[in-house]
Amino acid sequence: RAYWDGGLTDNTPLKPVIANLREHEAESLPIFTIDVFASVAPLPTNMYQVALRMFEMLLQNKLRADSETAHRYARFISILQQVDEQLPPDAPVRKERDWEAVMNYALLHEIRMIDIKKPAQENLADFSRAAILRRIRAGYDETKRSLEERPLRV
């Protein structure tokens, strides 16, 4: 199932992806996040451009923070997995409501952030067909380049 929200409420859908990740998918399901925001941009010349750039920076920082948080959780959960292996099958903690959700983070093997290198002059608010198609193509091309540089572990 695909998840996306257009970057307006929580610009990375990592939480629902992780919540729905199952053990049999872990080795064959890498997670890619596509950064559609410009790392650099021309200086704004009016308040509208200031507001757009501020919003873009806010979303870009959220994307990076979510990705870094997932990586930190994965390291923590790898330790928790070792504890899990030593617990008896009927340990009370296994019945905790959040046990399975927390253990899903152990399934994270690969999260890659892909930067589509959005042109600095491209307007964040541009949802024209041409802009959307350019972003899709750039996301595809950069993901392909990432896979060529560092193939998936299988």
Side-chain angles (χ1 to χ4, degrees), residues 14-144:
L14 282 176
K15 291 174 190 161
V17 168
I18 293 166
N20 289 285
L21 189 62
R22 298 295 169 243
E23 195 166 350
H24 70 279
E25 299 171 320
E27 294 298 326
S28 62
L29 186 67
I31 299 171
F32 293 89
T33 60
I34 309 295
D35 186 353
V36 298
F37 307 109
S39 297
V40 295
L43 288 174
T45 59
N46 58 49
M47 285 308 290
Y48 174 71
Q49 291 175 356
V50 168
L52 278 178
R53 184 63 184 144
M54 202 167 75
F55 185 59
E56 185 173 40
M57 290 168 59
L58 174 75
L59 294 178
Q60 185 178 41
N61 289 340
K62 176 84 169 92
L63 173 68
R64 291 193 191 288
D66 280 356
S67 186
E68 289 168 8
T69 298
H71 283 290
R72 279 195 305 275
Y73 280 4
R75 287 194 306 271
F76 170 75
I77 294 300
S78 69
I79 293 169
L80 189 56
Q81 267 186 310
Q82 294 173 38
V83 172
D84 179 50
E85 291 168 6
Q86 296 173 28
L87 286 173
D90 60 345
V93 71
R94 294 180 188 278
K95 294 181 179 85
E96 289 290 326
R97 182 176 57 112
D98 294 326
W99 180 257
E100 186 178 324
V102 168
M103 292 308 291
N104 268 359
Y105 279 89
L107 302 176
L108 296 177
H109 289 281
E110 185 153 16
I111 298 176
R112 293 191 196 184
M113 181 181 283
I114 306 297
D115 181 355
I116 67 165
K117 298 171 180 51
K118 179 174 118 4
Q121 69 279 6
E122 186 175 290
N123 187 327
L124 172 69
D126 183 358
F127 290 98
S128 67
R129 179 171 173 74
I132 296 299
L133 290 175
R134 192 205 67 73
R135 291 175 191 142
I136 290 170
R137 182 84 232 160
Y140 176 83
D141 291 345
E142 290 301 321
T143 300
K144 185 176 175 186

